[in-house]
């Protein structure tokens, strides 16, 4: 809502300047969206009157004007076509500073000029203007133009929340500012209009709940060609409402002033009684904006014998509207149920000031007062004779008593607000207050539709008491160095996503048969109320869910898939189950996407093993086991150990399940408990050697049953001097190697951080390794 600050100050006597006024409104919940001065800044411009005028002797388009500015008459050369004797003008004196020019004494074609007659454009009050500004004859010569035209004003725009309909008027905002700043109010004064004519309109309200109150009166012999005073037109324009005609302007003025929408019908165009009813299906109406619409049976209308003459709460009809020729009017003021009006304008792509207020709620106690106020203004400026008010009154909305407990108020705010302050705040807001043992019983006024529960009252207290009075306590914490932590879930996710995996989120529920047969859980946890028959069991593994994801993607022609998930698994009985957090993954298809640089090869066990090893910087051990899960291929799977503790499995899907899910190829899957993966240990940093390593290669022959992993473990546990790395690079069985034997070749890197190793030191370390392998594994060096 946009309005003039000077208009607001005419109702509330506050000493706050513009910035302070805006601040207190913002702090009280009235969001000031914008506030700016009216027009551009200028000085030394006064009201002048052209007392005589003559043509410039040396210029056809210029005139020499004698301008009276109160205490003297100035000679000013002017080229405006509308300059003439007897009009009052804006006269910029020598020394005046206008937005685009400074006024100095000058000679124009040889004639001295002591000022300038200004247009709206030169004053910065309009982008374009034709001729000089003509002022009202009521203004006194010599008066400062800013004072004469009330230009020392601010234009304020409030962005109100939907619940604050009470502030959709100047009086409502003034009432709020007075409560916030504890200032006095200057009431809007008007008297009940005397009845000058006897004609009265019959009103029939068929929808009593939709229209609890309807008032109307006939005003005869009005003159809609009169000119309204400049101050009223100015206030409308500064509120972004264009002047239309005197009667319409007055209804808009009362709307802005009090917040009550009004509508004036041409009484001579009405036929029969005024009826408030719901529209008939597809009932047509021709609106004031010259649009024709067809209403629905949920739309409330004002009607007469001819049909709908107004869209209730939204817009009047054009055929019955007031024109310059109108002599007798029927002035309407009503209260409509906000629920009935809400959304009706938007349904027809309409937006009006009336609907904006009615759908949020207007003050039903002001319905008759607004009618009297508008009548007074119409009679004062347009003449006329008022008739008796016709009123239909039904059950109005109730304002129920609300109990506010001081204990709850203080608990929510975190401070103790004195009881007398709370009571004073409610009196400031116009609430009815009664003390109780626990606090207060409060009844909100008719204009506060947003007050319904105890929390609403608490909000009212704190916004007027002042949010700035609630102390802000800086958080106090005792900081200490935390122990070195290991990985977190984010690290696990990043490790896999960097290797081309996508995270999925699946349900913790699975089909009962899959849980028993695939996961091998013969005592699953059954759900009492499953959301679907195939989701009746709590899963003990994520593999079944991931195979469903794979099937879903294969059905949509996805030929390559890498997915993972971190989730809980459940084992045990319903009342005594174990919940374990795991990370599970699945890889299917080729190792790399199809490309020109590499041949396509299918993912294998060692690719999946590398993915698992990427999850931790610790050393993992992979061992064959006789307890391979039913889901895995027994010859291509391994149990995963971390620091001697089993944490999960990795391997190829069993051929039986590949056939069950109709998979063209077998995927590789893994599942690990993440508790051990996330255990933190401080890193031990070692110096990086500046010296080149020494490499030796050895090939040994051992029994076919000996695992390479056990060989490497034994060597590293022995802590051979200078040994930096030992890794398998060749495996051979065949000609030259005895049956049930195999040849394994290792590279050995030795390095020292303080010197370059000599051959004797390197040979000594290799000899110790060979000796160890001979003793523990019966190994022999291959010739």
């Amino acid at each position: 809502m946009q309005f003039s600050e000077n208009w607001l100050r005419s109702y509330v006597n506050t000493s706050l300047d513009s910035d302070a006024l805006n601040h207190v409104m913002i702090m009280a919940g009235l969001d000031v969206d914008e506030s700016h001065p009216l027009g551009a800044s200028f000085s030394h411009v006064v009201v002048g009157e052209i007392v005589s005028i003559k043509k410039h002797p040396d210029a056809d388009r210029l005139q020499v004007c004698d301008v009276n500015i109160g205490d003297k008459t100035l000679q000013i050369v002017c080229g405006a076509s509308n300059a003439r004797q007897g009009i009052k003008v804006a006269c910029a004196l020598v020394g005046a500073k206008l937005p685009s020019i400074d006024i100095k004494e000058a000679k124009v074609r040889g004639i001295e000029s002591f000022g300038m007659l200004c247009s709206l454009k030169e004053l910065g009050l309009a982008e374009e203007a034709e001729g000089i500004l003509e002022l009202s004859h009521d203004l006194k010569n010599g008066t400062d133009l800013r004072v004469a035209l009330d230009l020392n004003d601010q234009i304020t725009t409030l962005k109100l929340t939907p619940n604050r309909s009470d502030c959709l008027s100047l009086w409502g905002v003034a009432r709020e500012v007075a409560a916030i700043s504890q200032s006095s109010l200057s009431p809007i004064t008007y008297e009940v209009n005397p009845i000058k004519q006897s004609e009265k309109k019959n009103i029939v309200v068929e929808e009593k709940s939709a229209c609890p109150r309807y008032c109307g009166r006939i005003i005869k012999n009005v003159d809609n060609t009169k000119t309204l005073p400049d101050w009223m037109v100015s206030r409308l324009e500064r509120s972004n409402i264009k002047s239309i005609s005197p009667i319409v302007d007055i209804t808009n003025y009362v709307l802005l002033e009090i917040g009550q929408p009004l509508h004036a019908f041409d009484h001579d165009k009405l036929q029969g009684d005024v009826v408030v009813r719901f529209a008939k299906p597809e009932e047509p109406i021709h609106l004031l904006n010259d649009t024709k619409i067809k209403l629905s049976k949920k739309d409330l209308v004002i009607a007469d014998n001819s049909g709908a003459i107004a869209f209730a709460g939204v817009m009047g009809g054009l055929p019955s509207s007031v024109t310059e020729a109108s002599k007798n009017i029927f002035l309407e003021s009503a209260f409509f149920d906000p629920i009935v009006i809400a959304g009706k304008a938007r349904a027809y792509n309409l937006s009006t000031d009336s609907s904006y207020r009615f759908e949020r709620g207007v003050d039903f106690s002001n319905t008759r007062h607004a009618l009297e106020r508008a009548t007074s203004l119409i009679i004062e400026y347009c003449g006329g004779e008022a008739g008796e008010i016709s009123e239909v009154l039904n059950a109005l909305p109730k304002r129920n008593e609300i109990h506010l407990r001081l204990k709850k108020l203080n608990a929510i705010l975190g401070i103790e607000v004195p009881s007398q302050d709370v009571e004073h705040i409610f009196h400031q807001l116009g609430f009815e207050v009664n003390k109780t043992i626990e606090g207060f019983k409060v009844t909100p006024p008719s204009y506060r539709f947003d007050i319904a529960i105890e929390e609403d009252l608490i909000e009212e207290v704190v916004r007027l008491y002042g949010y700035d009075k609630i102390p802000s306590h800086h958080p106090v914490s005792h900081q200490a160095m935390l122990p070195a932590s290991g990985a977190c879930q984010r690290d696990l996710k990043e490790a896999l996503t960097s290797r081309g995996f996508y995270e999925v989120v699946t349900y913790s529920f699975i089909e009962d048969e899959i849980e028993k047969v695939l996961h091998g859980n013969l005592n699953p946890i059954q759900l009492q109320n499953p959301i679907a028959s195939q989701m009746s069991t709590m899963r003990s593994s994520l593999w079944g869910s991931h195979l469903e994801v794979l099937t879903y993607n294969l059905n949509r022609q996805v030929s390559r898939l890498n997915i993972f998930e971190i989730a809980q698994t459940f084992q045990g009985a319903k009342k005594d189950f174990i919940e374990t957090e795991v990370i599970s993954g699945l890889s299917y298809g080729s190792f790399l996407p199809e490309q020109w640089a590499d041949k396509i090869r299918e993912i294998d066990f060692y690719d999946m093993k590398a993915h698992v090893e990427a999850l931790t910087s610790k050393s993992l051990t992979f061992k064959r086991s006789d307890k391979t899960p039913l889901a895995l291929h027994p010859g291509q799977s391994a149990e995963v150990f971390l620091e001697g503790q089993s944490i999960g499995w990795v391997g190829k899907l069993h051929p039986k399940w590949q056939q069950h899910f109709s998979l063209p190829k077998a995927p590789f899957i893994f599942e690990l408990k993440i508790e051990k993966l996330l255990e933190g240990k401080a890193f031990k940093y070692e110096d990086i050697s500046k010296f080149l390593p020494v490499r030796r290669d050895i090939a040994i022959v051992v029994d076919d049953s000996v695992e390479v992993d056990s060989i490497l473990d034994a060597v590293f546990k022995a802590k051979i001097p200078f040994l930096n790395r030992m890794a398998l690079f060749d495996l051979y069985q065949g000609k030259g190697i005895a049956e049930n034997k195999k040849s394994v070749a290792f590279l050995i890197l030795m390095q020292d951080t303080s010197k370059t190793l000599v051959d004797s030191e390197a040979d000594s370390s290799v000899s110790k390794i060979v000796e160890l392998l001979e003793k523990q594994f019966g190994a022999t060096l291959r010739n």
Side-chain angles (χ1 to χ4, degrees):
M1 186 182 76
Q2 179 178 308
F3 58 88
S4 155
E5 184 182 305
N6 287 351
W7 188 7
L8 174 66
R9 290 180 182 273
S10 69
Y11 300 132
V12 59
N13 182 23
T14 176
S15 59
L16 299 173
D17 61 22
S18 295
D19 291 339
L21 179 61
N22 291 336
H23 177 72
V24 297
M25 286 195 291
I26 291 171
M27 292 305 294
L30 306 183
D31 187 9
V32 178
D33 190 44
E34 185 182 5
S35 181
H36 59 83
L38 175 67
S41 175
F42 59 83
S43 62
H44 290 82
V45 181
V46 300
V47 176
E49 182 180 0
I50 300 177
V51 294
S52 66
I53 189 168
K54 59 184 177 181
K55 289 200 171 196
H56 193 291
D58 296 325
D60 292 337
R61 295 186 179 181
L62 296 179
Q63 301 180 84
V64 181
C65 305
D66 290 328
V67 182
N68 181 279
I69 59 169
D71 57 346
K72 58 184 175 179
T73 299
L74 302 177
Q75 178 177 281
I76 298 176
V77 178
C78 177
S81 59
N82 64 329
R84 60 192 185 277
Q85 184 177 343
I87 65 170
K88 295 207 173 184
V89 293
C91 179
L93 307 177
V94 173
K97 294 183 179 297
L98 304 184
S100 59
I101 189 174
D102 292 347
I103 305 302
K104 299 177 181 178
E105 185 178 332
K107 281 189 177 183
V108 181
R109 293 288 186 95
I111 302 296
E112 287 187 314
S113 181
F114 299 94
M116 185 176 79
L117 304 185
C118 304
S119 67
L120 284 173
K121 181 180 179 181
E122 289 158 342
L123 295 172
L125 299 177
E127 292 184 2
E128 296 295 334
E130 293 184 4
I132 56 176
L133 173 62
E134 297 185 31
L135 303 175
S136 171
H137 284 281
D138 297 335
L139 299 179
K140 184 180 178 181
N141 294 346
T143 306
D144 188 300
L145 189 68
R146 300 197 68 89
V147 176
L149 299 184
D150 194 24
L151 296 178
N152 296 319
D153 195 4
Q154 290 276 123
I155 302 301
T156 304
T157 303
L158 296 183
K159 191 176 181 180
L160 297 169
T161 51
N163 62 315
R164 292 311 304 271
S165 61
D166 59 299
C167 290
L168 287 172
S169 67
L170 269 296
W171 177 250
V173 176
R175 184 172 51 209
E176 192 73 7
V177 170
I180 299 166
S181 62
Q182 300 189 38
S183 305
S184 60
L185 280 170
S186 300
I188 301 170
T189 58
Y190 58 90
E191 297 179 357
V192 175
N193 295 277
I195 308 302
K196 293 292 183 71
Q197 58 88 19
S198 60
E199 190 170 355
K200 183 178 179 183
K201 199 73 176 172
N202 188 43
I203 298 169
V204 179
V205 177
E206 294 181 359
E207 302 299 332
K208 295 181 172 63
S209 60
C211 180
R213 191 173 196 178
Y214 189 96
C215 298
R217 77 173 349 149
I218 298 170
I219 306 175
K220 287 191 169 185
N221 300 319
V222 297
D223 184 355
N224 202 26
T225 62
K226 293 276 190 178
T227 301
L228 291 178
D230 290 341
W231 61 265
M232 182 180 290
V233 175
S234 173
R235 287 179 175 182
L236 289 173
E237 290 175 347
R238 295 177 191 185
S239 300
N240 201 28
I241 293 182
K242 293 182 179 179
S243 177
I244 299 172
S245 69
I247 291 176
V248 174
D249 289 353
I250 288 171
T251 59
N252 285 334
Y253 182 83
V254 175
L255 166 75
L256 293 172
E257 182 183 55
I258 300 177
Q260 172 65 51
L262 303 166
H263 183 65
F265 299 93
D266 188 323
H267 178 257
D268 297 331
K269 298 175 182 178
L270 301 182
Q271 302 175 25
D273 298 341
V274 172
V275 182
V276 183
R277 59 172 172 82
F278 281 116
K280 299 171 185 177
E282 299 291 311
E283 183 171 6
I285 186 170
H286 191 179
L287 297 174
L288 282 172
N289 62 356
D290 203 22
T291 60
K292 296 178 181 179
I293 62 174
K294 291 184 178 179
L295 302 167
S296 76
K297 60 182 180 180
K298 293 183 179 180
D299 298 326
L300 195 67
V301 297
I302 313 300
D304 65 1
N305 293 343
S306 65
I309 57 175
F311 190 172
V314 179
M315 188 182 293
L318 186 62
S320 61
S321 62
V322 171
T323 64
E324 283 189 359
S326 298
K327 296 297 181 183
N328 306 311
I329 66 169
F330 175 70
L331 189 61
E332 166 197 274
S333 179
F335 170 73
F336 301 112
D337 186 346
I339 295 175
V340 175
I341 306 301
K344 294 299 188 295
R346 291 187 294 276
Y348 296 96
N349 200 26
L350 299 172
S351 178
T352 65
D353 291 322
S354 295
S355 64
Y356 189 80
R357 287 161 174 79
F358 273 128
E359 66 185 4
R360 286 161 173 77
V362 300
D363 184 3
F364 49 81
S365 68
N366 258 346
T367 307
R368 193 179 181 106
H369 298 158
L371 186 61
E372 292 281 13
R373 171 64 167 161
T375 302
S376 298
L377 293 172
I378 289 172
I379 293 174
E380 182 177 357
Y381 297 111
C382 301
E385 301 164 350
E388 185 180 347
I389 293 178
S390 301
E391 181 176 14
V392 177
L393 184 62
N394 296 298
L396 294 170
K398 291 184 178 180
R399 288 291 178 263
N400 297 320
E401 197 174 57
I402 305 168
H403 188 196
L404 173 65
R405 295 163 291 173
L406 283 174
K407 186 176 181 181
K408 184 172 183 179
L409 169 70
N410 295 330
I412 289 178
L413 300 186
I415 59 174
E416 190 166 330
V417 182
S419 173
Q420 60 270 22
D421 288 354
V422 175
E423 185 177 8
H424 180 63
I425 286 170
F426 287 133
H427 283 305
Q428 283 178 263
L429 291 169
F431 291 17
E432 184 182 325
V433 187
N434 293 306
K435 284 188 177 182
T436 65
I437 296 175
E438 294 182 327
F440 299 96
K441 285 185 177 180
V442 182
T443 304
S446 58
Y447 49 83
R448 291 304 298 271
F449 279 79
D450 58 316
I451 306 297
I453 58 176
E454 185 177 17
E455 285 73 11
D456 294 332
L457 296 178
I458 294 173
E459 184 181 1
E460 293 299 294
V461 171
V462 68
R463 71 185 188 87
L464 261 73
Y465 184 72
Y467 294 105
D468 53 341
K469 291 184 180 178
I470 300 178
S472 58
H473 300 289
H474 295 291
V476 178
S477 63
H478 301 285
Q479 298 182 354
M481 183 71 73
L482 296 174
S485 61
C488 64
Q489 285 193 15
R490 184 182 66 252
D491 298 322
L492 301 181
K493 293 179 180 181
E494 289 179 353
L496 289 178
T497 53
S498 66
R499 301 176 74 87
F501 279 73
Y502 292 91
E503 184 177 11
V504 296
V505 179
T506 58
Y507 284 104
S508 296
F509 319 129
I510 202 167
E511 188 178 350
D512 185 62
E513 182 184 359
I514 295 295
E515 176 63 20
K516 290 179 178 178
V517 183
L518 176 68
H519 298 160
N521 183 11
L522 299 179
N523 295 301
I525 303 172
Q526 301 287 346
L527 297 176
Q528 288 184 348
N529 298 296
I531 58 177
S533 59
Q534 72 273 18
M535 303 175 75
S536 60
T537 306
M538 300 296 290
R539 64 186 178 186
S540 61
S541 171
L542 276 57
W543 285 338
S545 301
H546 290 183
L547 289 170
E548 290 178 1
V549 174
L550 173 61
T551 303
Y552 179 89
N553 281 270
L554 289 176
N555 291 339
R556 286 153 182 81
Q557 299 184 354
V558 177
S559 60
R560 181 175 177 272
L561 188 69
N562 292 305
I563 60 171
F564 77 93
E565 182 176 8
I566 296 177
Q568 305 291 335
T569 59
F570 306 87
Q571 289 178 314
K574 288 183 182 178
K575 296 183 179 179
D576 188 22
F577 63 88
I578 299 173
E579 191 173 335
T580 307
E581 191 170 31
V582 301
I583 182 169
S584 177
L586 177 148
S587 286
Y588 177 88
S590 59
F591 177 68
L592 292 173
E594 187 175 356
Q595 57 171 300
W596 63 272
D598 284 315
K599 292 182 180 180
I600 294 179
R601 71 169 180 85
E602 298 300 316
I603 192 170
D604 59 24
F605 174 84
Y606 296 101
D607 296 323
M608 201 61 167
K609 176 175 176 285
H611 293 323
V612 171
E613 288 177 322
L615 291 172
T616 178
S617 59
K618 302 171 186 176
S619 178
L620 296 176
T621 305
F622 299 82
K623 296 183 179 181
R624 290 181 297 177
S625 174
D626 297 332
K627 299 179 181 179
T628 303
L630 299 176
L632 296 179
H633 191 302
Q636 297 190 49
S637 61
E639 190 172 6
V640 184
F641 290 84
L642 176 60
E643 297 177 346
Q645 182 178 337
S646 174
I647 62 170
W649 293 86
V650 61
K652 188 177 184 179
L653 185 69
H654 197 286
K656 178 179 72 173
W657 291 108
Q658 179 184 348
Q659 184 179 5
H660 175 84
F661 285 97
S662 302
L663 303 176
K665 307 167 188 174
F668 285 85
I669 52 180
F670 73 86
E671 187 167 285
L672 308 173
K673 300 174 185 176
I674 68 172
E675 182 181 3
K676 195 73 176 175
L677 289 173
L678 300 181
E679 284 184 0
K681 287 189 175 180
F683 290 101
K684 184 178 180 181
Y685 296 96
E686 296 179 352
D687 291 337
I688 298 175
S689 177
K690 298 182 291 184
F691 305 98
L692 295 176
V694 176
R695 174 171 174 165
R696 295 285 190 270
D697 293 344
I698 63 172
I700 60 173
V701 178
V702 293
D703 293 339
D704 187 32
S705 60
V706 175
E707 295 179 351
V708 171
D709 196 45
S710 60
I711 294 174
L712 296 174
D713 281 347
V715 171
F716 284 117
K717 285 180 181 178
K719 296 183 179 180
I720 305 297
F722 309 122
L723 179 63
N724 182 275
R725 183 183 176 210
M726 182 173 176
L728 174 72
F729 71 86
D730 185 51
L731 175 66
Y732 174 73
Q733 286 178 295
K735 187 177 179 180
I737 303 297
E739 191 176 353
N740 298 327
K741 295 285 186 177
K742 62 183 176 183
S743 170
V744 287
F746 298 96
L747 70 86
I748 301 170
L749 291 180
M750 292 161 287
Q751 194 174 28
D752 193 0
T753 58
S754 60
K755 63 180 180 178
T756 300
L757 295 179
V758 297
D759 287 343
S760 59
E761 292 172 319
D763 293 341
S764 174
S765 295
V766 172
S767 298
K768 291 179 180 179
I769 292 173
V770 172
E771 184 181 350
L772 172 67
L773 299 181
E774 289 175 348
K775 288 182 179 179
Q776 290 196 19
F777 302 101
T780 58
L781 281 175
R782 182 182 172 190
N783 296 327

